[in-house]
Structures are given as structure tokens and as C-alpha cells.
Amino acid sequence: MTPLVDKVPEKLQRLPELAYNLWWSWNLEARNLFRRLDYPLWHGLQHNPVQIMQEISRDKLNAAAQDPAFYRHYTKVLMTFDQEMKNGHSWFHQQYPDLVDKTIAYFSFEFGLHNSLPIYSGGLGILSGDHTKEASDLGLPFIGVGYMYPQGYFRQRIPSHGWQEAVYEQIDMGKAPILPVLDEQGQEIKISVRMGTRQVYARAWLVQVGRTRLYLLDTDVDENEAWDRELSARLYSGDGDMRIRQEIMLGLGGIRLLRRLGISPQVWHMNEGHSAFLVLELIREKVAEGLAFKDAAAAVKAQTIFTTHTPVPAGHDVFPFHMMEQYFAGYWDELGISRDQFLGLGGHQEEWGVGFNMTVLALRRSGQANAVSQLHGQVSRQMWQEVWPEKAVDEVPIAAITNGIHAPTWVAFQLHDLFSKYLGPDWITHHDDPAFWSRVADIPAQELWQVHVQLKHKLLSYLREHVRRRWTAGKNDSTQVLTGGTLLDPNALTIGFARRFATYKRANLIFADLDRLRKILIDTHRPVQIIFAGKSHPADDPGKMLIQTIYNLARHHGLGGRVAFVEDYDMHMARYLVQGVDVWLNTPRRPREASGTSGQKAALNGIPNLSVMDGWWAEGYNGANGWAISGEANGSEQEQDRADATSLYHLLEDEIVPLFYDRDRDEVPRGWVEIMREAIRSNAPRYSMKRMVKEYTTSLYLPALRGEIAGE
Ligand SMILES: *Cc1c(COP(=O)(O)O)cnc(C)c1O
């Protein structure tokens, strides 16, 4: 039963149901419905319909019920909603009617679905969120399992000294689009997991993502000791001990929750190694049913899929054996193996000694594994060849499925309309079909450009309002007002750079030769400006140092207010940035960017990439849809940095700036718009989440669902 229904007039009874299903967030008409219901609340509450429904006055609701235009809009949205919630016409049901009763369980440590549910930190979470949404669109029999973090990830503040501060805010569960999971008696469902000598309990929350259900575990319950209640408090904080307990709860607890709900998945997908303990629990279940360890392990292997997400060693969890021993003492007996065999399941030589590596556990114990771009596939096969010592590198069984983005979530509404006009109103249904996008050529240059300029203005006024609000509240000083982007010029060529601040992403590469950059930025006739945004992990001091360096440059007179650092990057801000800048910059140290997805969001919105040939861009660049930074060097990292920076300056000076400022009589940069069109045409279908989830389905899910994967 959905809350809030008492307050809502009979005629609009189903508004709360819509508010509690995140489907509204990627359906334009549904978004507009809530926006129209109470625009000041919509704007003020950062697009959170659950909160709108709580705060809206009864008078306003009654007025809406009496307004025929609103009521028509409401019924239209409900009709679409009911149509979409029915599975019958979906892609999966059409293609695989024999498999619709199966279940694929998808485990991820973070889910980035919408800002009103801030339980993500960056790319991995956004990918899980987009995957879940597309699973709904395509009608996959799919269930997500994750973690509820009552304090989420942190909010970033950057004082005028430039050293990032982390602020944790308690998420008000009542205001988030989540509902408690209850049993038949209306009591919270609780599951428990033994950790060493104590039982740790968790309750669960349900997030309705279109047709897809996502369950989130939450350990903040009375039964737990204080330190276990805190277990799910925050994403990626705390030490190894906290992390292992979180991962035990996600892996073991997640399965127990599904069992408690009577859900029996045939396929288990581990998105990154955080949930890899789930294979142990699946084996334990089968051993308890009477199978020998070997047979149980083989059966589990046939059902499990693992996706690895980073070639950076620090991105893989490794737990010391004593910690494993502390939490799993006795568990190996239930698996029917010895302590040494148990520790050997994830045993791996690390720099500091031998440890229990979650990626190794997942690779050894799942029947199918994949990396997230073609280049990342090559790198991963090399990196993990030692797990298959008998195989040559190119025979290592790690496939590659390149990441994508959920187009309805990331496309600007103005472009949505433009695509509807020139590609057809059903473009969303066909958007993974490359042939379909050839019609982009029909969009008149002038119209595409006008929409882009409008989006750029929207971005800049969003940034100004962001700063103004904090200024008015007395929360920032004049330096912060300047660095927040108030001096940005809507006519200048605008470069965007926004992502997590990890050192391998080299946010400072463009500052390698300050004099040369300065000339580019402060040119009187052809000015260039750069907007930076991104958080650094609270424990990552080198990352924070990068932010500080750029922040200090942003306030420097010599750069003329043409560099901004906007604080507190999140999904909401990301939408404005990937829709509103002119060029999307990415400068990772190849090959450490496994895929990257923000550039795919930009390309969908007609914003060409200017990027190192790494991750998805190594395959996405075609010579005409953006620019490739490729400094030739085969020496030290410093040499590579220098060569890449030189390549970057050269592209800016000789190609990008001249092309952007080459205008026709109507001020339209014709050559530039050609590149925008080509970015959309070539990148939008291939790097869509629709293409990606179809690929996961045909190459990984189907063989597992059909029992075609051999366990051993
Ligand atoms: C898309 C997105 C990311 C991922 O960006 P990358 O380019 O893959 O690093 C991170 N954070 C937010 C908020 C995003 O929207």
C-alpha cells in the first residue's frame, strides 16, 4: 500500500504510485506531470515527487483534480504507465517467451538511479542504475540487490583554500522513493547473517524502477549492536573491517533476503567483486541439500556471471586472511572444505603478501566473466592470466561488453523533442539501431545549433543559481563565487571535465604548459573556458591535492575567470554538464579508464569528445565524431603526460578553436555542427544501454538461463 493516498483526491488516486516508481524519471510526460503539479516545489525539491506529494497543499491537489487539462495529462501518463508495466509487448517477451518465468539477480554495491536516492559515488553506480532501468524497458526478468546507505555518499564542499571537505547528511527515509519490505503481518522483514561470533541483522527497502524491483539492505535495526547498525551508514568509508562486513552482508544477506521473499533466481550477476561472497553462500546452500563441494561449486558456476570494472589494482578488494578467518570461522565446515581450501578460493599474491582477493574469487567461481570495453577486455585478460596459468593470454575467458548509457535518462528534453521531430516519435524504441540514426542528417544545422545554445545557457544559469543560493545563505565567500563559474561567458568555447578525481584521470593534464593554455583561454576574439567538477574519495589525498591545484588556478587572475570548479558533482549536475558544454574532455592515463560513460552521455547530446584513446573512446572514435588525444611516447609516465598534453594543445589550437569560431552569416558554425551530428549518429546507438543490455542478454544471460554453461 502506497503512503500518502489519504491526502490525494479520488480522481488523482494513483499519483503516489507514480511518485514511488522511478519510471517517472525517464518518461518525459510523467516528469512534466509532476513539474506541472507544483513547479516551485518541483524546482525547490530537486525533482523529487515523493517529497512533492508530501509537501503539496490539499488545495493545490484539489485544484489539479478539477483542472481538465491536468486531468487529461494525468490519464495519458497513467495509460502509458500501465501499458509499459505490462510485460507482454516487451523485447524480452517477444524474443524469449520460454524464459519469461526465470529470474536474473543483479548484485551491485551502488545504484545511481536518481538524485533523490544518493546511494552512488560515480560511474559504477550510474552504470548499475542505468542497467536496471533498461532491464525494465526491455522487459528482462530482472531483480536488483544492493545496499541502502542512510548517509549515502558525501556532499562536497570546497572552501576557498581548495581542500575538499566531506559533509554527510542523513537521508530522510520518508522522503526517498523507497518503501519498507514487509511481511504478511505488516512487520519489517529481517534477515540475518553470522559474522564471526555474532548475528548481524538487516531489513530491506524496495525501490520500484519501472517494472524492475530493486531491494536494498539496511543494517540500521534495533537487533544490531551499535557498530553493526552503522554498517550500512555510508558508501565507501571506513576501513577494511567495515568493508568486509558490508560485503558479507551484501553477498550472503542478499541471497537470504531473496530466499525469504520466495525468489529463486536462475542467474546471478555480480557487478564488480564487492558481492562475490554470494558464490560461497550459493555453494553452502547446495552442500546443505546434500551435494559434495565439488558438485555444488560446479552447479553454482554454471549460474554465475561476473563483470570486472577496473584495471587499477587498488580498485580490487583484498582482505587479509586473518580477517577472513575472523568472519568465516566455521563457514568452511558448512561448505565441506578445509580452512586452507577455503582461503585458497580467493588466495592471491599481492604486493604485500598473500591475501583474499574478491576479483580472483569471482573469476574462479563464475562461469562467465566480462570486462567493460574492448580495450579493457585485452588488459583484463593480461592482468588475470595468472588465474588460468595453463591458458595463453588471448584464451583467458574474460569477454568484453562495452558500457553504455540509458538514453532516456541522459538525453536533454529539447533534443528528445528534436529527435522525435526528425527521427520519429518512436525514436526511443529504436535508439540502439545504427541505421535508424542516419536520419540525423535531416536535422537542419540551424535547429540543432539553436537547441545546443539554449542548453548551454541553461547550464550557465544553473551554475549561477547554484552559487547564488549559497551566497545568499552566507555559505560561500567571493572567491567561491568566482570559482563557481559566475564569470563564464555563454559565447565562449566551453570545455567540460567532470568525473571522480582519481589521479590516473589526470584532471590537471591541460595545465601542463600554463603559458600555452593561458594564450588559448584568454584570446580576445576566440576565448575558451573550462568547467571542472568532481569529488575525490575522502581518503584519497593525492586526488584532493589535484582538486586544490585546479581550484587555485581557477581563482588566478591570469586565467581571467575562464576556469571554473563547481562543487558537489552529482547526477543532477551531470545532466546539465553533459548537455550544455561544447566539448567533453577526458584525459586518463591509458589504459586505466576501463570504459568511462560520461563521454557517451555527452555524445548523445551532440557534444563531441576530446579524449585520450582509452576506454570506450578507443573504439568510439571514428575520425569525424570528435578528437583523439594520442601523444606518441614510449617512456616514463612523465613523458607520456608531456606528449599527451602537447597533442591536446595542438588539437585545441589548430582544429577545435578555429572550427568552433568559423561561423556562417547566421552565426552557425557549420563545420562544428557536422561533428555534432556525427557524434550523435555514430555514438548514440552503439553506446546506449539498450545495446549493452541486449548484448548481456544474448551473450551471457541466455546461455546461463538455458543451462548451457559448463560448471567445471
Ligand atoms: C556518468 C557519471 C559518472 C561517470 O563518469 P566517467 O566519465 O565514467 O568517469 C560519474 N558521476 C556521475 C554523477 C555521472 O553522472
Side-chain angles (χ1 to χ4, degrees):
M1 172 78 173
T2 317
L4 297 170
V5 282
D6 301 347
K7 177 175 176 182
V8 181
E10 190 60 35
K11 272 180 95 175
L12 304 178
Q13 268 302 297
R14 294 185 63 198
L15 268 182
E17 182 189 342
L18 279 178
Y20 273 97
N21 190 326
L22 284 170
W23 175 82
W24 71 263
S25 71
W26 75 93
N27 180 281
L28 200 53
E29 288 286 323
R31 284 181 76 96
N32 287 338
L33 186 72
F34 286 110
R35 188 189 151 102
R36 171 180 195 166
L37 184 61
D38 193 326
Y39 182 72
L41 284 183
W42 167 260
H43 188 68
L45 299 173
Q46 293 225 342
H47 310 177
N48 180 352
V50 168
Q51 227 179 325
I52 295 176
M53 292 309 296
Q54 286 164 347
E55 300 200 6
I56 191 170
S57 67
R58 277 174 199 267
D59 286 351
K60 202 120 192 196
L61 279 172
N62 290 333
Q66 297 313 315
D67 172 1
F70 184 87
Y71 187 68
R72 261 198 311 278
H73 188 164
Y74 166 78
T75 29
K76 186 164 168 232
V77 169
L78 271 183
M79 240 160 65
T80 317
F81 178 69
D82 288 338
Q83 187 62 26
E84 298 227 349
M85 291 312 114
K86 278 207 274 307
N87 268 324
H89 63 288
S90 73
W91 173 79
F92 192 88
H93 283 242
Q94 300 284 326
Q95 299 283 320
Y96 312 106
D98 54 319
L99 297 173
V100 295
D101 297 328
K102 309 276 183 188
T103 302
I104 300 156
Y106 176 88
F107 280 59
S108 186
F109 218 39
E110 42 172 311
F111 283 87
L113 291 155
H114 186 257
N115 242 42
S116 53
L117 193 57
I119 53 167
Y120 64 91
S121 79
L124 182 74
I126 307 290
L127 190 84
S128 314
D130 279 7
H131 194 135
T132 308
K133 291 172 181 171
E134 191 61 54
S136 167
D137 291 346
L138 291 174
L140 263 63
F142 187 93
I143 280 195
V145 179
Y147 231 54
M148 180 67 211
Y149 304 94
Q151 297 177 23
Y153 199 49
F154 69 93
R155 305 202 64 146
Q156 179 192 50
R157 296 283 167 249
I158 308 181
S160 45
H161 51 63
W163 192 252
Q164 165 188 295
E165 289 171 1
V167 181
Y168 288 89
E169 285 172 8
Q170 190 77 19
I171 300 175
D172 185 336
M173 303 289 203
K175 293 178 177 163
I178 55 175
L179 291 169
V181 179
L182 307 176
D183 64 16
E184 305 72 30
Q185 280 79 45
Q187 301 295 312
E188 283 181 339
I189 277 183
K190 294 206 178 112
I191 54 98
S192 77
V193 171
R194 197 179 54 162
M195 296 195 196
T197 52
R198 56 185 198 275
Q199 283 302 120
V200 181
Y201 293 82
R203 58 178 166 174
W205 299 91
L206 171 67
V207 191
Q208 198 63 50
V209 187
R211 309 178 238 240
T212 307
R213 280 172 294 161
L214 166 62
Y215 290 101
L216 302 175
L217 292 159
D218 176 5
T219 60
D220 189 11
V221 295
D222 295 340
E223 289 85 344
N224 284 340
E225 305 280 358
W227 48 87
D228 290 325
R229 292 186 75 139
E230 283 279 295
L231 197 52
S232 64
R234 298 170 179 180
L235 176 59
Y236 303 131
S237 71
D239 50 11
D241 186 69
M242 173 87 125
R243 181 68 82 91
I244 194 173
R245 286 185 287 141
Q246 288 184 332
E247 297 190 5
I248 293 171
M249 184 49 88
L250 178 62
L252 277 56
I255 293 180
R256 292 186 190 173
L257 175 69
L258 294 183
R259 300 301 187 213
R260 176 74 179 73
L261 296 171
I263 300 168
S264 316
Q266 286 72 29
V267 171
W268 304 82
H269 184 175
M270 297 173 271
N271 191 44
E272 194 47 290
H274 306 122
S275 56
F277 287 140
L278 78 81
V279 297
L280 304 178
E281 178 68 1
L282 290 174
I283 296 174
R284 191 195 61 78
E285 287 182 339
K286 295 205 186 302
V287 170
E289 286 166 16
L291 258 60
F293 174 81
K294 194 163 154 289
D295 299 330
V300 168
K301 199 165 180 175
Q303 295 188 312
T304 40
I305 295 168
F306 168 59
T307 304
T308 178
H309 284 272
T310 178
V312 179
H316 300 263
D317 283 320
V318 186
F319 300 115
F321 282 158
H322 67 81
M323 205 182 263
M324 286 297 293
E325 191 143 20
Q326 180 188 342
Y327 288 110
F328 284 96
Y331 193 82
W332 48 79
D333 296 332
E334 295 183 56
L335 297 183
I337 53 176
S338 70
R339 169 186 170 280
D340 285 1
Q341 283 173 312
F342 178 80
L343 295 177
L345 294 173
H348 185 251
Q349 182 65 47
E350 305 294 331
E351 266 170 41
W352 43 265
V354 185
F356 193 95
N357 186 309
M358 295 297 279
T359 302
V360 170
L361 171 69
L363 286 172
R364 287 200 185 127
R365 305 276 27 123
S366 43
Q368 302 183 87
N370 74 294
V372 295
S373 73
Q374 305 309 308
L375 178 60
H376 180 228
Q378 288 172 25
V379 174
S380 299
R381 288 189 284 275
Q382 187 105 41
M383 187 168 172
W384 299 110
Q385 193 246 341
E386 59 195 283
V387 176
W388 291 270
E390 74 290 356
K391 287 195 198 295
V393 169
D394 50 355
E395 287 169 354
V396 167
I398 301 178
I401 297 180
T402 306
N403 282 345
I405 52 151
H406 186 244
T409 295
W410 294 105
V411 71
F413 308 132
Q414 292 84 344
L415 275 172
H416 193 304
D417 289 345
L418 201 63
F419 293 162
S420 295
K421 183 168 163 194
Y422 290 99
L423 308 181
D426 57 344
W427 73 271
I428 282 283
T429 322
H430 304 289
H431 76 262
D432 61 326
D433 175 4
F436 186 79
W437 288 88
S438 60
R439 295 188 219 163
V440 168
D442 299 341
I443 306 178
Q446 178 120 18
E447 245 177 289
L448 184 55
W449 183 246
Q450 268 168 4
V451 165
H452 175 68
V453 168
Q454 196 190 341
L455 289 167
K456 193 167 167 185
H457 279 273
K458 248 186 94 179
L459 163 66
L460 297 191
S461 54
Y462 166 77
L463 296 181
R464 259 196 309 277
E465 286 315 307
H466 197 66
V467 171
R468 192 194 309 279
R469 252 204 308 265
R470 295 186 55 73
W471 173 256
T472 314
K475 288 193 175 148
N476 57 8
D477 61 24
S478 48
T479 303
Q480 290 166 294
V481 170
L482 168 76
T483 52
T486 36
L487 285 185
L488 294 173
D489 169 2
N491 298 312
L493 168 61
T494 305
I495 300 171
F497 183 103
R499 50 184 53 81
R500 269 186 317 113
F501 268 64
T503 47
Y504 78 86
K505 297 201 181 226
R506 295 190 302 185
N508 58 346
L509 188 83
I510 197 168
F511 298 104
D513 182 342
L514 216 49
D515 279 339
R516 196 162 170 189
L517 177 67
R518 203 171 69 87
K519 288 201 190 77
I520 297 172
L521 297 186
I522 64 169
D523 187 294
T524 330
H525 305 294
R526 302 190 305 185
V528 177
Q529 58 197 7
I530 319 174
I531 304 174
F532 287 92
K535 298 173 179 176
S536 190
H537 185 282
D540 179 9
D541 282 348
K544 284 193 264 184
M545 218 114 76
L546 262 183
I547 293 180
Q548 188 172 41
T549 306
I550 294 174
Y551 198 86
N552 283 333
L553 287 162
R555 46 191 278 199
H556 198 275
H557 295 277
L559 295 181
R562 300 224 178 261
V563 175
F565 197 112
V566 194
E567 58 181 13
D568 207 27
Y569 183 51
D570 63 10
M571 277 183 88
H572 191 64
M573 186 188 295
R575 281 178 56 88
Y576 286 94
L577 285 168
V578 300
Q579 295 169 0
V581 299
D582 297 306
V583 183
W584 196 253
L585 177 68
N586 193 17
T587 49
R589 187 173 276 130
R590 182 183 157 106
R592 284 184 226 181
E593 178 92 317
S595 167
T597 53
S598 59
Q600 301 173 342
K601 301 170 194 165
L604 169 67
N605 286 290
I607 294 168
N609 279 263
L610 163 58
S611 172
V612 168
M613 291 294 271
D614 195 9
W616 79 279
W617 191 236
E619 60 200 85
Y621 174 65
N622 70 2
N625 57 0
W627 298 272
I629 302 167
S630 52
E632 291 293 330
N634 33 18
S636 63
E637 285 190 345
Q638 285 90 334
E639 267 176 59
Q640 188 63 57
D641 292 356
R642 229 182 346 259
D644 285 345
T646 306
S647 163
L648 171 58
Y649 293 133
H650 163 76
L651 287 168
L652 283 170
E653 291 161 348
D654 300 345
E655 296 188 32
I656 298 172
V657 177
L659 192 65
F660 181 82
Y661 284 103
D662 180 14
R663 305 295 171 97
D664 70 6
R665 290 193 0 229
D666 301 319
E667 285 288 305
V668 177
R670 297 268 161 188
W672 188 270
V673 174
E674 272 320 302
I675 295 188
M676 290 177 65
R677 279 205 193 106
E678 183 58 14
I680 298 171
R681 191 200 63 78
S682 62
N683 293 155
R686 167 101 191 116
Y687 301 102
S688 66
M689 189 47 86
K690 203 179 274 311
R691 186 273 310 154
M692 188 192 109
V693 173
K694 282 184 180 175
E695 218 176 315
Y696 271 82
T697 303
T698 50
S699 29
L700 306 176
Y701 296 154
L702 287 183
L705 285 171
R706 294 191 164 138
E708 293 164 5
I709 301 299
E712 206 65 65

